[in-house]
Amino acid sequence: MAAEKITVSWDEISSSDVDARLAEEQRATDDASEASTQPAMAGAARYDVSPSDARWWLKTPVYMAAFGLLGGLIGWAFGLLVYAGPDPVRQADKYAESYRRVVAAFDQGKIAQPQSDAALKRLRNEAGKNPYFDIAVNPALTDTERADQRAALVERDRLKQHVGDALFYSASALAIAMCLAAAESVVSRNWVGALVNASIGACVGLVGGVVVSLFVGELFESVRALGGATPSIAYDMFARAVSWGLLGLFMGMAPGAVMRNSRKILIGAAGGLVGGVLGGLVFDPVAGFTENEIVSRLIAIGAIGLLAGAGTGLIEEAAKLGWLKVTEGLIAGKQFILYRNPTFIGNSLSAHIYLFKDPQVGRRHAAIHVLPGGYEIEDLPLGSRTIVNGKPVRRARLKHGDRIKIGKTSLLFQEKNRTPGEY
């Protein structure tokens, strides 16, 4: 008997039902293949030390500190353009103090007239055409007249100083925030994401820098005035720590603003505040020790960037609740804290955890969902199967110590204050 012909119409071939059946059969084949080639991991030790642990530069506090320092150096370089010359007030105070010492030494008979004249002439030449110095050493002026003329000069230069400070604060905040915001994407080699995040971070930093610059000068003078007419260096340090702490606070918020995550914004703000305060504290002692404001500003703004980055990383480490650590793959040693809900894993540049150069990984390969009391992983219908502890899963509750395999990348899931196998 002749076999009956089977006919298939074009509509049946192009039907979505056919596509669904083919995709289902392909996934079943993948499951069987994974089960036969993937070694069982459920009974494996979950806390073995891998070579990736040696990649200290992938630890969050380390690379955040490095990128913060880079931003500080960029901000300092811009400051060289803004503050091309020394601060005339600080310079005048320095030379005026030396001038008074020479006069006092001559009056007490410790040095002769020729020595006194030569020393005073040298100081005048070094001070140059500094009106603050001229007022300070003019013997024809009374203390009241000297104070009035100095105040008038300060008021005249106030606008120029405000513009310079605004440019410096804005540029420094922009540079540091930009680098901090781009740090994680750069470490993950997501260059498009780094560019996008850097742009957003730059905007946040610029806005913060402009806002702070509007009142930081008055804030500094108000705090400094608590020390009286001639405040000590301690009051200068305190005033600068307060004003620069506010600047650091805005800079540290940039990574969280990029992620649109309030928890990370608070963590970053705390880290930035700490960095700004410590950076402000070192400015005046360094300036006094080196007698060079360029070096002082370099150390101070560099310290703000470095400490803001390190502080953000350390606080983030202390406050993290759930995270994935890459134990095998191109970015082995990198840690991803699970802030977003859901957190997408894939080879798309828009994925939150970017696994690049792996044909087995889909654009959105898997998702981590944050649920009350825990986390779940969902396998998305792209790429090869998502493997948890050696078994393919569609959606599964994650336990501390679970090992996840996506393409060529292995990840270790961890939760704070959990033991292996515990919800």
Side-chain angles (χ1 to χ4, degrees):
M1 179 184 295
E4 183 180 351
K5 288 186 177 181
I6 299 176
T7 58
V8 181
S9 68
W10 175 255
D11 291 337
E12 291 174 325
I13 292 176
S14 59
S15 169
S16 59
D17 293 339
V18 173
D19 290 339
R21 283 293 302 274
L22 289 173
E24 187 67 26
E25 290 179 10
Q26 182 61 47
R27 290 174 69 87
T29 303
D30 290 342
D31 289 351
S33 176
E34 290 284 359
S36 63
T37 59
Q38 187 77 15
M41 299 174 66
R46 300 189 178 201
Y47 293 99
D48 55 324
V49 178
S50 68
S52 64
D53 291 331
R55 299 188 180 186
W56 53 270
W57 61 87
L58 291 177
K59 295 185 181 299
T60 306
V62 176
Y63 70 74
M64 289 294 287
F67 276 84
L69 177 60
L70 174 62
L73 294 177
I74 295 173
W76 169 78
F78 185 84
L80 291 179
L81 302 176
V82 175
Y83 304 105
D87 180 3
V89 177
R90 191 182 292 271
Q91 182 193 54
D93 290 344
K94 170 188 170 184
Y95 285 117
E97 179 62 26
S98 299
Y99 192 97
R100 284 189 286 268
R101 288 177 182 174
V102 172
V103 172
F106 173 74
D107 291 341
Q108 296 168 10
K110 295 181 180 179
I111 58 175
Q113 180 77 42
Q115 293 173 300
S116 173
D117 291 344
L120 295 179
K121 182 178 180 180
R122 187 186 72 252
L123 287 171
R124 286 185 178 278
N125 289 336
E126 291 179 0
K129 296 181 179 180
N130 187 320
Y132 293 95
F133 175 78
D134 294 337
I135 292 171
V137 300
N138 187 346
L141 297 177
T142 64
D143 289 344
T144 301
E145 291 171 337
R146 186 174 290 110
D148 289 343
Q149 290 191 22
R150 180 186 173 103
L153 274 179
V154 169
E155 188 62 31
R156 187 195 71 182
D157 293 342
R158 188 179 298 277
L159 177 60
K160 179 181 176 181
Q161 183 67 33
H162 280 181
V163 172
D165 287 345
L167 290 173
F168 175 65
Y169 288 132
S170 300
S172 298
L174 182 152
I176 294 176
M178 176 181 69
C179 290
L180 291 179
E184 182 164 319
S185 294
V186 172
V187 172
S188 301
R189 306 185 196 181
N190 185 345
W191 308 118
V192 173
L195 180 61
V196 172
N197 292 344
S199 301
I200 298 173
C203 292
V204 174
L206 180 61
V207 171
V210 170
V211 170
V212 171
S213 69
L214 294 176
F215 61 84
V216 69
E218 287 75 8
L219 177 64
F220 177 83
E221 293 299 333
S222 298
V223 176
R224 190 172 182 268
L226 298 175
T230 55
S232 65
I233 189 174
Y235 283 94
D236 285 348
M237 292 170 60
F238 178 63
R240 208 172 299 277
V242 172
S243 54
W244 285 29
L246 289 175
L247 184 66
L249 183 146
F250 278 97
M251 293 185 298
M253 293 168 60
V258 167
M259 296 177 63
R260 299 187 295 277
N261 184 278
S262 58
R263 179 180 174 83
K264 191 169 178 65
I265 288 175
L266 292 175
I267 290 173
L273 177 63
V274 171
V277 168
L278 295 179
L281 287 175
V282 304
F283 181 89
D284 290 288
V286 172
F289 179 75
T290 63
E291 297 186 352
N292 188 322
E293 284 202 4
I294 294 177
V295 175
S296 176
R297 193 170 285 112
L298 167 62
I299 294 175
I301 199 66
I304 288 181
L306 186 147
L307 294 170
T312 300
L314 289 171
I315 294 173
E316 191 173 75
E317 283 286 316
K320 64 185 180 183
L321 300 176
W323 63 97
L324 295 174
K325 182 177 181 181
V326 181
T327 58
E328 182 182 352
L330 292 174
I331 51 174
K334 178 72 178 72
Q335 173 184 274
F336 295 94
I337 299 177
L338 300 173
Y339 286 111
R340 299 177 175 92
N341 187 25
T343 297
F344 290 106
I345 306 171
N347 68 9
S348 168
L349 293 171
S350 63
H352 304 135
I353 299 179
Y354 175 53
L355 304 180
F356 51 91
K357 294 183 180 179
D358 189 343
Q360 299 179 44
V361 178
R363 291 179 59 81
R364 280 195 172 182
H365 193 109
I368 304 290
H369 299 274
V370 183
L371 303 174
Y375 298 79
E376 285 187 359
I377 186 168
E378 178 188 10
D379 180 45
L380 301 178
L382 292 171
S384 60
R385 295 305 301 271
T386 299
I387 309 298
V388 177
N389 297 329
K391 298 179 181 179
V393 298
R394 293 190 181 281
R395 183 159 180 151
R397 187 83 165 195
L398 289 173
K399 301 177 290 296
H400 180 69
D402 280 348
R403 293 187 180 274
I404 303 167
K405 183 79 171 178
I406 296 178
K408 299 176 183 178
T409 302
S410 296
L411 306 104
L412 176 67
F413 171 75
Q414 294 179 289
E415 272 188 280
K416 196 168 189 177
N417 301 324
R418 300 281 187 179
T419 57
E422 178 188 2
Y423 271 96

